[in-house]
Amino acid sequence: MSLGFAKETVRKGLAAHTALGLVCCALLYLICATGTAIVLYEEWQRFEQRDAPEMTAIEPAAVQRGIENVLSVENDRATTTHLFVHMPTDALPRTTITTDTQAFHVDADGTIVMPEENAWSEFLLALHYRLNLPAIYGMTLVGAFGAMIVALSISGIVAHPRIFRDAFRLRARRRDAVATVDWHNRLAVWTLPFALAISLTGAMIGLFYVSGGIVAETAYGGDSEAALAPIFGEEAPQDPASAPVADARPALAHMARAYPEVEPYYVILHDPRTAGQHIQIVGEHPRRLIFGEYYAYGPDGEFHGTTGLADGTIGQQLAASTYNLHFGNYGGLPVKIAYIAFGLALTAVVATGTFIWLNKRARQGRPAPRTRAVWSGFVSGVPIALVTTLLARLLIGNGAPFVALFWGTLALTVAVALLRLRRDREAASGPALALAE
């Protein structure tokens, strides 16, 4: 049965369909490429601010001095609802104290040394997490693409029943269409467990806003905090009355005595300088995938218990393991190197998949030179744009317009690819016109 559309309508519909498919492939490629780069998130921070003070450990008394020093320079106390102390770790051996309005590096004595300036690292993280879009839209979109990778991986296996048998077979080593197909299939097989783990966890993280919002609306009357409480614990009641700054020293001392095998790496002060303030310490459990366990303390260091991320329900432990499994934040540098290698391979799979589709069109007598030029420009443009923004960070500083530079450079590389196509066409048409004359 024919719908009876005019030929011009059909042509425009096919063009729109191709453009939409290309946009989806481009975003998928961008997510994979930036995800590979963000594996070195801590290393990028150290590279950005190489003169920040570093240490392997910091004493509880110095942590408390740092908290009090940072709070003393807060411009608007009413806006400071949370304070975070990043303790030194192997990946990032610095102590950084962050509030809702500012962030500072402190030395081993708790003295403020300099503001934290890692805008490029944060730009890169936001680009991967949410494509520089508002969080609810960007993370939902990225999560949907994570689910897309799962579907592509499974459908690719079904469509190629010999894919595992030919896992190490390369029919052609030269740069041609056959070699592209072979490398695409081989890399897809070699990275399959990684791709499934990364895409599933990425979908869970990215779709958090949607799934959490749905649960909050349907089961908790729109209360998002209540919806998350069974997993991440409940917020303590607020009391806005003024009070001295909570003391983190006895809380850290208790951690060292009661949980010597746990490595505290975050101290969170909720509602500082109020009667309702309380302390949470995030502790890393060695040889566990969970990002940590929350240890709750009162303002004077009295222990209130744990949330259960380390020994609670399976759902809690699974939720707490998602982040590290996705970003490779376990096992140290060897795991990071493996994630980078597999991430580059997955990025190549996405890039070659589109080239394979374009080659197939050309063999069928339906070449798409403009689409190929756009795709070639985009594939080469993403790393060029990332390097451009990093150079801007080094030359201009923390205030460089990273978002505008990235997308502007990317648009420029695509435009250059289209201009080269036009130039090549004009050069080819010149001899043809001369022969016709």
Side-chain angles (χ1 to χ4, degrees):
M1 178 180 176
S2 175
L3 295 178
F5 291 125
K7 289 184 178 180
E8 182 64 17
T9 303
V10 173
R11 186 189 67 78
K12 290 182 179 180
L14 287 173
H17 179 75
T18 300
L20 183 60
L22 192 64
V23 169
C24 290
C25 292
L27 293 178
L28 193 58
Y29 172 80
L30 176 58
I31 291 168
C32 292
T34 53
T36 302
I38 207 63
V39 171
L40 296 174
Y41 177 60
E42 291 87 359
E43 288 75 9
W44 288 127
Q45 291 184 72
R46 297 180 72 182
F47 176 77
E48 273 196 83
Q49 209 167 5
R50 295 180 292 279
D51 55 347
E54 297 196 341
M55 63 214 73
T56 58
I58 185 169
E59 294 296 323
V63 172
Q64 184 63 26
R65 281 195 296 271
I67 291 173
E68 293 174 356
N69 288 337
V70 170
L71 286 175
S72 69
V73 297
E74 282 288 275
N75 295 324
D76 187 356
R77 298 189 175 196
T79 62
T80 306
T81 59
H82 292 85
L83 180 144
F84 304 88
V85 182
H86 174 274
M87 308 277 280
T89 63
D90 291 339
L92 191 60
R94 298 175 173 181
T95 301
T96 307
I97 301 180
T98 305
T99 69
D100 297 324
T101 59
Q102 53 190 340
F104 296 99
H105 296 299
V106 302
D107 62 17
D109 293 326
T111 303
I112 295 176
V113 176
M114 62 181 66
E116 182 187 42
E117 295 183 345
N118 60 345
W120 187 83
S121 303
E122 295 301 321
F123 153 76
L124 182 62
L125 185 64
L127 182 58
H128 175 69
Y129 247 108
R130 50 186 176 84
L131 301 173
N132 298 135
L133 297 171
I136 188 169
Y137 303 112
M139 291 188 68
T140 300
L141 186 60
V142 171
F145 277 104
M148 184 185 296
I149 295 178
V150 176
L152 287 171
S153 301
I154 296 174
S155 62
I157 295 171
V158 174
H160 302 85
R162 292 168 51 94
I163 197 168
F164 289 105
R165 185 167 59 181
D166 296 338
F168 297 97
R169 180 187 177 194
L170 292 173
R171 292 171 295 173
R173 291 179 173 82
R174 59 186 187 276
R175 296 178 62 182
D176 59 10
V178 175
T180 301
V181 172
D182 274 3
W183 277 113
H184 176 85
N185 291 340
R186 299 301 84 80
L187 291 174
V189 172
W190 300 340
T191 61
L192 181 61
F194 173 82
L196 289 175
I198 294 302
S199 56
L200 281 170
T201 53
M204 292 173 63
I205 295 171
L207 296 175
F208 169 79
Y209 275 91
V210 173
S211 57
I214 292 174
V215 171
E217 287 295 333
T218 56
Y220 294 90
D223 188 344
S224 57
E225 290 186 0
L228 296 176
I231 299 176
F232 298 107
E234 297 180 355
E235 280 279 351
Q238 294 182 338
D239 185 345
S242 296
V245 178
D247 194 348
R249 290 171 295 184
L252 288 168
H254 177 268
M255 284 287 300
R257 292 193 310 271
Y259 303 97
E261 75 286 355
V262 176
E263 301 172 7
Y265 68 96
Y266 253 112
V267 176
I268 306 173
L269 177 54
H270 297 258
D271 302 314
R273 295 179 293 198
T274 70
Q277 64 189 330
H278 57 284
I279 298 170
Q280 277 184 320
I281 296 178
V282 185
E284 181 181 7
H285 288 234
R287 296 178 297 279
R288 293 287 303 276
L289 270 179
I290 59 172
F291 69 80
E293 173 66 280
Y294 289 115
Y295 297 83
Y297 293 87
D300 296 320
E302 60 275 21
F303 183 54
H304 291 169
T306 63
T307 300
L309 300 181
D311 54 6
T313 65
I314 296 297
Q316 283 182 292
Q317 296 184 54
L318 177 63
S321 302
T322 300
Y323 186 87
N324 280 354
L325 183 59
H326 184 76
F327 288 101
N329 293 336
Y330 61 94
L333 187 59
V335 171
K336 288 193 173 188
I337 293 173
Y339 266 62
I340 292 171
F342 284 123
L344 289 172
L346 183 58
T347 305
V349 168
V350 176
T352 54
T354 303
F355 281 121
I356 290 170
W357 171 71
L358 291 168
N359 292 337
K360 184 178 180 180
R361 281 181 59 105
R363 290 195 303 271
Q364 294 173 343
R366 299 182 298 113
R370 286 178 59 85
T371 302
R372 180 181 290 275
V374 170
W375 182 246
S376 298
F378 190 90
V379 168
S380 60
V382 167
I384 291 173
L386 288 175
V387 171
T388 300
T389 56
L390 182 56
L391 289 175
R393 170 64 180 89
L394 298 177
L395 297 175
I396 301 175
N398 206 53
F402 299 113
V403 175
L405 275 174
F406 177 83
W407 292 104
T409 303
L410 192 53
L412 182 61
T413 58
V414 172
V416 169
L418 288 171
L419 287 173
R420 290 181 60 185
L421 173 65
R422 181 178 178 181
R423 184 196 62 190
D424 293 343
R425 281 179 168 177
E426 291 175 349
S429 63
L433 289 173
L435 289 173
E437 294 176 353

